Amino acid sequence: MLVLLAGGAGYIGSHTAVQLLDAGHDVVIVDNYSNSSPEAVKRIAEITGRPVRAYEADVKDRDAVSRIMQENSIDCVIHFAGLKAVGESVRKPIEYYRNNIDTTLTLLECMNEHGVRNIVFSSSATVYGEENPYPYIETMRRGSCSNPYGWTKYMMEQILEDAAKADPELSVVLLRYFNPIGAHASGRIGEDPQGIPNNLMPYVSQVAVGRRDHLTVFGNDYPTPDGTCRRDYIHVMDLADGHVKAVEFAARNKGTEVFNLGTGTPYSVVEIVEAFERNSGVPVKYEFGPRRDGDLAEFWANADKAREVLGWTASRTLDEMCRDSWNWQKQNPEGYGN
């Protein structure tokens, strides 16, 4: 199949491109490089030995997306394009609503125009909100999100579900991620946020490599064993494998299906730091700060449905996640800007 990766030069998109190509599929990447680098596209081709067609364009640009679909016989779209930082979304809600919802509407309009019937959406565990018990299961009620980022994911899911209800030929797969970390084992691609990292692992890695002085842990007074937030961390390569399974599932099925992609095991911020130190041999200086707006104390996945329906399960360990994160960062201390 030929798969269009909207936002495909980013962290998850680039790793998914590698796994799709290795599985025998073809990819077309469209990205505006606002939080990614064209260097990632070059390295995808290097890792796989396969050519990668890439377009520099904003996924909100309907004319550009339509032209790309006109030039390529797309079988499936994976929608990665979107702003994704929880804290930033609290500070810039309008920007998040405009960007994330517009990209979704544009993709659906262009898919309809060009007869593309399959879409896999990069959703998030944040759609489960603040009121559901752990672990999260796909049948739980969505909503009561703790931040605008989560609300955009909730709204985008609803838009996609409604589109599938209105069009019986449309296949929608919603993948609810938990917390991806790690990198490709080669160290050639990895997470390279622009500016100050919003996620834990790239910040830890940048402290370890000397780019940052220390890590600030936001809150040590949560109702968790060590007082810091606990999350379900998943290796980005496991996550990428889940996308390959989802693309192949979408080609065989119609309607909407939802899958959690996580390990089912939560780790605290302090546990992640300690695991990173153990696997890198490098101390990571950190200090505690106040809680961050929009953060929940803890959550983790029930991923039974993905195992039973997609035939997917997370197999890589926390040590592998930390080891691969460090391998990427030490080879690329300034990220793709080396």
Side-chain angles (χ1 to χ4, degrees):
M1 285 187 285
L2 179 56
V3 184
L4 176 67
L5 306 182
Y11 175 43
I12 300 170
S14 60
H15 290 79
T16 299
V18 167
Q19 296 306 83
L20 284 166
L21 289 164
D22 283 349
H25 301 291
D26 296 304
V27 303
V28 173
I29 289 172
V30 54
D31 204 299
N32 66 0
Y33 304 119
S34 63
N35 194 33
S36 59
S37 169
E39 179 64 24
V41 178
K42 297 177 185 177
R43 296 190 186 187
I44 293 164
E46 171 194 313
I47 290 167
T48 62
R50 300 273 309 278
V52 178
R53 177 173 287 190
Y55 295 84
E56 182 173 359
D58 193 318
V59 180
K60 297 192 302 295
D61 184 340
R62 194 182 189 285
D63 290 341
V65 174
S66 181
R67 176 175 55 84
I68 292 165
M69 289 189 180
Q70 179 68 36
E71 293 177 3
N72 300 274
S73 298
I74 304 298
D75 297 301
C76 182
V77 171
I78 305 183
H79 180 10
F80 295 111
L83 301 174
K84 62 179 184 177
V86 168
E88 184 181 60
S89 78
V90 175
R91 300 191 303 274
K92 301 178 179 179
I94 304 304
E95 184 176 343
Y96 269 68
Y97 286 116
R98 169 65 70 187
N99 184 84
N100 292 2
I101 292 170
D102 272 8
T103 57
T104 306
L105 294 172
T106 298
L107 284 171
L108 284 170
E109 288 171 350
C110 293
M111 286 173 62
N112 184 62
E113 179 184 354
H114 295 283
V116 182
R117 316 314 302 158
N118 307 311
I119 182 167
V120 175
F121 174 53
S122 169
S123 191
S124 167
T126 57
V127 301
Y128 290 111
E130 299 180 285
E131 298 174 358
N132 286 309
Y134 320 124
Y136 292 152
I137 301 171
E138 291 89 346
T139 53
M140 286 177 171
R141 179 181 174 275
R142 296 172 302 177
S144 300
C145 299
S146 61
N147 54 77
Y149 164 74
W151 279 115
T152 67
K153 291 294 187 183
Y154 168 86
M155 293 173 184
M156 293 151 82
E157 281 197 5
Q158 190 64 55
I159 290 166
L160 287 160
E161 287 182 8
D162 288 344
K165 288 176 184 174
D167 182 354
E169 293 302 308
L170 190 62
S171 177
V172 171
V173 179
L174 308 176
L175 297 180
R176 293 177 182 163
Y177 305 168
F178 282 68
N179 289 68
I181 59 176
H184 190 268
S186 67
R188 297 296 290 154
I189 58 173
E191 187 168 11
D192 182 29
Q194 305 298 304
I196 299 173
N198 288 289
N199 295 328
L200 175 62
M201 185 57 79
Y203 211 113
V204 169
S205 299
Q206 289 186 14
V207 171
V209 84
R211 284 178 63 181
R212 309 280 169 193
D213 177 69
H214 68 279
L215 168 72
T216 299
V217 178
F218 297 108
N220 64 342
D221 58 349
Y222 286 98
T224 60
D226 63 20
T228 63
C229 292
R230 295 204 304 166
R231 297 288 183 267
D232 186 337
Y233 293 92
I234 176 175
H235 199 296
V236 68
M237 295 303 290
D238 280 330
L239 192 63
D241 289 338
H243 287 77
V244 177
K245 295 283 191 182
V247 165
E248 293 167 351
F249 176 88
R252 302 188 305 267
N253 296 272
K254 301 300 178 187
T256 302
E257 284 288 351
V258 185
F259 299 99
N260 287 337
L261 297 183
T263 67
T265 301
Y267 293 98
S268 73
V269 175
V270 170
E271 287 176 316
I272 293 294
V273 171
E274 291 173 347
F276 185 92
E277 291 178 330
R278 184 172 65 248
N279 284 279
S280 67
V282 178
V284 176
K285 179 182 176 184
Y286 69 91
E287 61 185 36
F288 295 111
R291 294 186 182 189
R292 183 171 59 179
D293 289 343
D295 278 343
L296 300 180
E298 56 184 348
F299 57 80
W300 59 93
N302 177 316
D304 289 348
K305 183 179 178 184
R307 184 186 70 250
E308 294 164 3
V309 178
L310 291 181
W312 173 91
T313 187
S315 62
R316 295 165 177 86
T317 65
L318 178 60
D319 285 343
E320 289 175 281
M321 299 178 210
C322 293
R323 187 164 58 246
D324 289 342
S325 292
W326 176 234
N327 185 39
W328 150 256
Q329 195 70 76
K330 72 180 179 182
Q331 288 191 44
N332 304 272
E334 298 298 326
Y336 291 116
N338 281 5

